Amino acid sequence: MSVASFAAVQFLRALPRTRVSRAVGRLCEASLPAGVSRAVVGLYVRAYRVDMDECQPQEGAYQNFDQFFTRHLKPGQRTICSSAHEIASPADGKIEAIGPVDLEGTLLVKKQIYRVDELVGDAADAERYRGGQFAIVYLSPRDYHRVHAPVDGAVVRIRSMPGDLFPVNSIGERHVPSLFSKNRRVAIVIDTPALGRVTVVMVGAIIVGRITVSAVPGDDVPLGDHLIEPPLPVRKGDEIGVFHLGSTAIVFAERGVVAPFARGVGPVQLGQSLSGDA
């Protein structure tokens, strides 16, 4: 480990990550004068090369930074893969890891081993994914930060799990053991007619102020296991959650029910098949 990396790791461990994230979240939700809003958004767009041509036009200035960060895409901006036997990427971003879950219910991500039960928050549910497949999509600061259904089905359960808020970046992934399992997580469980159960896990990170989901009203998902009665029907591509500032989405699929996840590591857009490059 370089001196710079060692110093960064020690700083992150000492930092009051939850307090910092809450403070930044409140700041991002504070109302801004129109001139200040335009200046802040303009600086951010230039710094991170955000493609605003893809976004729904905003009438006037954004009321606060969170409203900009959770901006909508223009209708029809993304093509959703249509095959009933393919699972779509739930978000724009970069595939950090993709492949099989072993028969012990673990997956290997950048030399770290993760247990599915710790990620989805339920040991019995995790049994479904032994020998199945997973994909990890990292949302960078420039990306669209709404999360969408990767399949047709119905949201039947939301698990909101407490956790830390380590950064989900190269330093965090390399130096924080079981990073994704340690951070705050919200698992969105979707039952389908033909593909069994699919779970999308939204993983929080430092500066991620809140996570909201379509199936549970409110400004943040309360901790706990939320049974959705009646289940919330969703079509592939429907919005199911929002990161208020960015992080990572993990998709789990059962064994043998969909085409193998064969897409390579690298950029991906919402709606593209995880089974190939289309």
Side-chain angles (χ1 to χ4, degrees):
M1 185 189 306
S2 69
V3 173
S5 292
F6 178 80
V9 171
Q10 299 312 309
F11 174 75
L12 287 171
R13 287 174 175 163
L15 192 70
R17 294 171 296 277
T18 300
R19 288 205 300 266
V20 168
S21 298
R22 286 174 180 165
V24 173
R26 287 193 295 270
L27 184 62
C28 289
E29 293 161 16
S31 296
L32 296 174
V36 174
S37 173
R38 291 189 182 97
V40 169
V41 169
L43 285 170
Y44 190 96
V45 167
R46 289 192 293 275
Y48 290 106
R49 294 171 295 139
V50 178
D51 186 356
M52 295 301 290
D53 290 337
E54 296 184 330
C55 305
Q56 279 189 355
Q58 170 71 16
E59 188 173 329
Y62 289 99
Q63 295 179 3
N64 53 43
F65 186 78
D66 181 71
Q67 189 183 60
F68 157 70
F69 198 86
T70 59
R71 61 196 178 275
H72 292 269
L73 294 174
K74 292 176 182 174
Q77 194 65 41
R78 295 287 181 267
T79 299
I80 310 299
C81 66
S82 58
S83 172
H85 295 285
E86 292 183 322
I87 292 180
S89 173
D92 284 359
K94 177 185 177 184
I95 294 181
E96 293 280 345
I98 189 167
V101 177
D102 68 22
L103 294 176
E104 299 300 316
T106 65
L107 48 142
L108 183 65
V109 181
K110 295 190 175 180
K111 300 182 180 179
Q112 291 206 46
I113 295 176
Y114 289 91
R115 296 184 56 83
V116 177
D117 57 350
E118 293 175 345
L119 292 168
V120 303
D122 185 85
D125 222 24
E127 290 292 320
R128 295 172 175 264
Y129 302 119
R130 287 178 182 259
Q133 300 173 82
F134 78 95
I136 296 178
V137 181
Y138 167 70
L139 289 71
S140 76
R142 75 185 301 267
D143 289 318
Y144 165 73
H145 273 78
R146 291 176 180 266
V147 175
H148 295 249
V151 289
D152 296 336
V155 177
V156 296
R157 191 176 294 273
I158 302 288
R159 296 190 196 93
S160 182
M161 294 160 273
D164 211 313
L165 292 173
F166 284 103
V168 180
N169 57 20
S170 58
I171 292 177
E173 289 177 349
R174 193 179 308 123
H175 300 297
V176 180
S178 302
L179 171 66
F180 297 128
S181 300
K182 283 185 176 177
N183 275 8
R184 165 142 167 67
R185 303 171 308 290
V186 175
I188 303 171
V189 181
I190 304 173
D191 281 347
T192 76
L195 304 180
R197 177 164 287 184
V198 173
T199 296
V200 179
V201 182
M202 297 176 66
V203 182
I206 193 167
I207 313 301
V208 178
R210 294 182 288 113
I211 295 173
T212 54
V213 296
S214 303
V216 179
D219 292 335
D220 200 352
V221 187
L223 296 178
D225 193 341
H226 305 275
L227 182 65
I228 308 304
E229 286 285 357
L232 176 67
V234 290
R235 299 283 295 174
K236 190 187 296 185
D238 285 353
E239 183 181 307
I240 55 174
V242 183
F243 284 117
H244 297 263
L245 301 189
S247 193
T248 298
I250 307 176
V251 181
F252 288 105
E254 292 187 36
R255 180 181 183 180
V257 296
V258 293
F261 287 0
R263 193 177 193 92
V265 170
V268 69
Q269 287 189 331
L270 160 67
Q272 291 181 325
S273 172
L274 295 175
S275 299
D277 295 329

